[in-house]
Amino acid sequence: MHDDDLRKLLGRLDLEQEVRLLTGADVWSLHPEPAVGLRRLVVSDGPAGVRGERWDERDTSANVPSPTALAATWDVDRIERLGRLLAAEARRRGVDVVLAPTVNLHRTPYGGRHFECFSEDPLLTGRIGVAYVRGLQDEGVGATVKHFVANDQETERFSADVRVDERVLREVYLAPFEAIVREGGVWAVMAAYNGVNGTTMTESPLQRDVLKGEWGFDGVVVSDWFAARSLAAAGTGLLDLVMPGPRGPWGDALVAAVRAGEVPESAVDDKVLRVLRLTGRVGALEDAAGTAATPWTEEEISAELRATAASGFVLARNEPAASGEGPLLPLERRRLRRVAVLGPNAVEARTLGGGSATVFPPYTVSPLAGLRAALGPDVEVVHGRGGRSTHRLPPADPDLLRRPDGGRGVEVRFLDAGGTVLGTEVREAAAFTWQGSYGPDLPMDRVRSVEVHTRVRAEEDGTHRIGVSGVGPFRVTVGGEIRLDTRISLPPGADPVEGMVRPPQESVAVQLRTGEEVEVVVGHVPEPAGDFEGTDVESVTFQVNVARDTDDDAEVEQAVALARDADVAVVVVGTTEEVESEGFDRDSLALPGRQDDLVRRVVEANPRTVVVVNSGAPVLLPWADDVPAVLLTWFPGQECGNALADVLLGATEPGGRLPVTWPADEECLPSPRPVEGTLRYDEGLFVGHRRHDRDGREPRFRFGSGLGYTSWEFLSVEGGASAVTVRLCNTGTRRGREVVQVYASRPGSAVERPVRWLAGFAVVAADPGEEVAVRVDLPERTYQHWDEAAHRWATEAGPFRLHAGPSSGVLPLELDVQVQG
Ligand code: BGC
């Protein structure tokens, strides 16, 4: 819809109606406004799928690989297609605007939301982000690039003030946002919780001067949830939309401030115009053409997610298991009679990371299930967990739960203060979250307590732990006897989101025999899980936990024995929800639990061992040089196991190249922890590979590296400053795909610079023996730096050197170019 028409609509609204549009109606929607034909507009997280308005296993969404896995493809066409798939998901779920992509950077591997961000590199992040946004928006669904800016860690995220130099801000942290605004034409930007250089981001002049001013952003700046704190954010050129609602700092206070002349009416008009522009773009205004994204069938979604996951898998190492043999991968199927699939993530694979990126997939294929299906009945596939990787009790397995009426799962009852049951839910789950209400007719304030009724069945004899996770008062009755009557709290200073993603637990021991059933009732009186700057959180989360006590030593021994008797061992290690999530940063990069020990013992027992790493972010792999094959799979989405089988058995090449450096140890890594409220980005421009290059430190695995199943020779590079053509040849025996990477450097620069920086890349494919030429475009920004004194982009005239090759560590080709100032 044209701006003149939007202005006419604006003219139909009085001040109260305008201001009403600037705060959400509830957790996930904006108020409808009949006066302008505006229906209710729905937003939803993002980015590993589109969750919709409920946080609930009954409401399923396609679970796509997590953003780091997407960036690992280095394939903008694929990501644009994935954006279109997400648009279809959004429309299927009644969603107009997706709260994604997340383009904060992998400043440090400790960052809790690392899995949710694309890369440590601003150029790669920007390119992949632009593709993601185009895919969504070409299908008429809005994207929201977040979190603007420098929200690269979780610790004290609501209050931390990030101190970062102007040049570093421009060249590193703002760069992906700039690309996504200018090239991607994104319709919404989310302002972060944290501050930058002294001002909280919802009130930051970076919105007015840079985002809306310099970059010409014409969309909506929405607050991160509960990030808007004051009327100051309502100033000219600042925040447009406060989320969630219906409460918040604006409303009547903003109306009064406008009347008193404290906030100019023009500022409010501009915000409303932007909101109307967004609603028009997504087809929520009567007069605008409604958007209908092209739908995808379930089969198309599965096939796309399977291929995308495999394209992001990074084969970091692939050596022969014995002398005289070829590399261990792909596995030779005809040599396989028995395969041992081991490790804690072999059955409980993590397909996505924790926090607001959570979606509920319709199914997930575990590594064990994927390999079993691919290997078929003639190959015996055995499994052992090899010890726990977490000491948390998991939510009870719904297969072992029976409702009072005999069905699978639990019955949830919502009671008022007098004990009257106001409503019930039947759930095949033991982890619950309600946001905003308990259902369409059950507002949160009518309910005093929630009860879960079920019978728990034991699969094996032994001591079982039965308990609850959550925040607030809980009572657990087992077999009619009150066994727990307690109040559970978060650790002091914890992020309220921790109450959802890693809620504290208490449990009791219960002896059960195989097949025995015991009645369990959990009662909870909900309280706000925390305090977002004085706003009540209308969100209730708790779990019913059941697990049998197990013996880690015995499990490791059993896994080693299985490995010894197998033709090949596949060990699937990884992180847990306790380690990688929104709401907190990591304390250690080591694999949790006994996993390092498990890998060492397995490879000792059977040299034909493949280690599959299922983590969203780098972990330390101290044994990496001692195992023949290491495959990094990230959080690969619902098709995890099928994609893994495709890659291990050679049906597909592992397509990924590292979008982030994997460090060899924990020395000299940037800290995510503020000191007295301030977090200094002292490493400056030297993030990730740039720091390793400057310091001459060899990481475990280099940025941009990754193997396929063929080999390549890089033959020549030609061209000029704005584009080069790289020729290369597939020297192996099968068709393959390569990511051609071009880096730039400036010999003898008068300006401080990285040793080399990524300038461009392109994906090629070729048959054995085939020679291909690929053009790599190099943006003008390649040769620019931010001049802090003049506050503008500048070019140091003279020679720059371009380096081309398959990774930041292997750059056999060079070309010198002259650049004008
Ligand atoms: C997260 C955002 C998310 C929002 C809504 C916040 O806590 O930081 O990324 O979009 O919640 O779930």
Side-chain angles (χ1 to χ4, degrees), residues 28 45 51 99 113 116 146-147 157 190 193 224-225 356 497 582:
W28 304 118
D45 292 306
R51 188 175 58 248
L99 304 173
R113 288 178 94 166
E116 213 187 304
K146 66 190 188 183
H147 311 82
R157 63 176 166 152
M190 188 185 287
Y193 291 122
D224 198 347
W225 268 227
S356 59
V497 166
E582 178 177 340

Side-chain angles (χ1 to χ4, degrees), residues 343-364:
N345 291 43
V347 173
E348 305 275 330
R350 284 197 87 196
T351 65
L352 47 73
S356 59
T358 303
V359 298
F360 295 86
Y363 64 87
T364 58

Side-chain angles (χ1 to χ4, degrees), residues 624-749:
D625 293 340
D626 305 324
V627 299
V630 179
L631 183 71
L632 315 176
T633 63
W634 319 106
F635 295 149
Q638 68 194 38
E639 282 287 328
C640 169
N642 286 334
L644 183 65
D646 287 344
V647 165
L648 294 183
L649 299 172
T652 311
E653 240 193 343
R657 303 293 182 267
L658 283 178
V660 54
T661 307
W662 276 48
D665 53 43
E666 295 191 70
E667 279 168 41
C668 310
L669 296 171
S671 166
R673 313 218 180 268
V675 177
E676 290 175 6
T678 301
L679 182 61
R680 296 184 186 281
Y681 281 15
D682 284 337
E683 66 287 345
L685 299 172
F686 300 93
V687 177
H689 59 103
R690 299 168 169 200
R691 183 179 63 84
H692 283 265
D693 286 346
R694 183 197 60 189
D695 299 348
R697 295 175 67 85
E698 196 52 35
R700 172 71 63 203
F701 303 127
R702 277 194 169 253
F703 177 80
S705 66
L707 304 163
Y709 288 151
T710 186
S711 52
W712 298 88
E713 190 184 349
F714 277 68
L715 302 170
S716 66
V717 60
E718 287 166 10
S722 58
V724 294
T725 298
V726 178
R727 277 178 47 248
L728 64 165
C729 179
N730 179 349
T731 53
T733 54
R734 59 178 275 170
R735 185 172 172 80
R737 167 192 181 276
E738 180 61 299
V739 179
V740 174
Q741 300 165 37
V742 177
Y743 295 78
S745 68
R746 173 64 191 237
S749 177

Side-chain angles (χ1 to χ4, degrees), residues 371-593:
L371 280 162
R372 278 210 168 119
L375 288 166
D378 298 341
V379 180
E380 190 188 352
V381 179
V382 292
H383 166 66
R385 179 170 64 171
R388 286 163 302 173
S389 52
T390 170
H391 291 286
R392 285 181 69 77
L393 296 174
D397 176 353
D399 284 340
L400 304 179
L401 301 178
R402 199 156 59 85
R403 299 193 304 264
D405 68 5
R408 181 177 183 266
V410 308
E411 184 186 300
V412 184
R413 298 179 191 162
F414 304 102
L415 299 98
D416 69 9
T420 305
V421 177
L422 303 175
T424 60
E425 266 182 13
V426 163
R427 299 286 294 269
E428 298 196 5
F432 314 98
T433 291
W434 296 273
Q435 293 179 318
S437 75
Y438 291 105
D441 305 318
L442 202 46
M444 288 216 153
D445 55 10
R446 284 189 59 208
V447 172
R448 169 138 198 292
S449 63
V450 183
E451 281 179 9
V452 173
H453 293 253
T454 191
R455 294 180 71 79
V456 171
R457 183 165 48 85
E459 270 190 316
E460 284 178 67
D461 284 351
T463 308
H464 288 67
R465 299 214 66 92
I466 299 183
V468 285
S469 309
V471 176
F474 287 94
R475 175 180 285 182
V476 179
T477 309
V478 181
E481 189 190 332
I482 298 175
R483 296 289 309 274
L484 259 181
D485 199 351
T486 183
R487 163 178 285 278
I488 311 183
S489 313
L490 279 172
D495 187 314
V497 166
E498 190 166 339
M500 289 177 75
V501 295
R502 156 170 102 170
Q505 309 187 308
E506 285 189 27
S507 65
V508 294
V510 179
Q511 296 297 328
L512 295 173
R513 292 183 314 279
T514 308
E516 185 180 347
E517 271 194 10
V518 63
E519 185 198 36
V520 173
V521 179
V522 171
H524 174 45
V525 179
E527 294 178 344
D531 196 51
F532 282 92
E533 297 279 326
T535 315
D536 279 353
V537 181
E538 290 196 339
S539 173
V540 174
T541 292
F542 68 96
Q543 304 174 354
V544 179
N545 306 104
V546 179
R548 195 174 64 85
D549 277 357
T550 50
D551 176 346
D552 287 343
D553 289 336
E555 283 195 16
V556 171
E557 294 312 322
Q558 181 223 9
V560 170
L562 292 173
R564 192 173 293 123
D565 292 341
D567 300 312
V568 65
V570 177
V571 191
V572 191
V573 295
T575 57
T576 68
E577 75 282 3
E578 202 176 3
V579 173
E580 272 191 271
S581 171
E582 178 177 340
F584 44 85
D585 293 311
R586 287 197 289 171
D587 302 318
S588 157
L589 304 188
L591 282 168

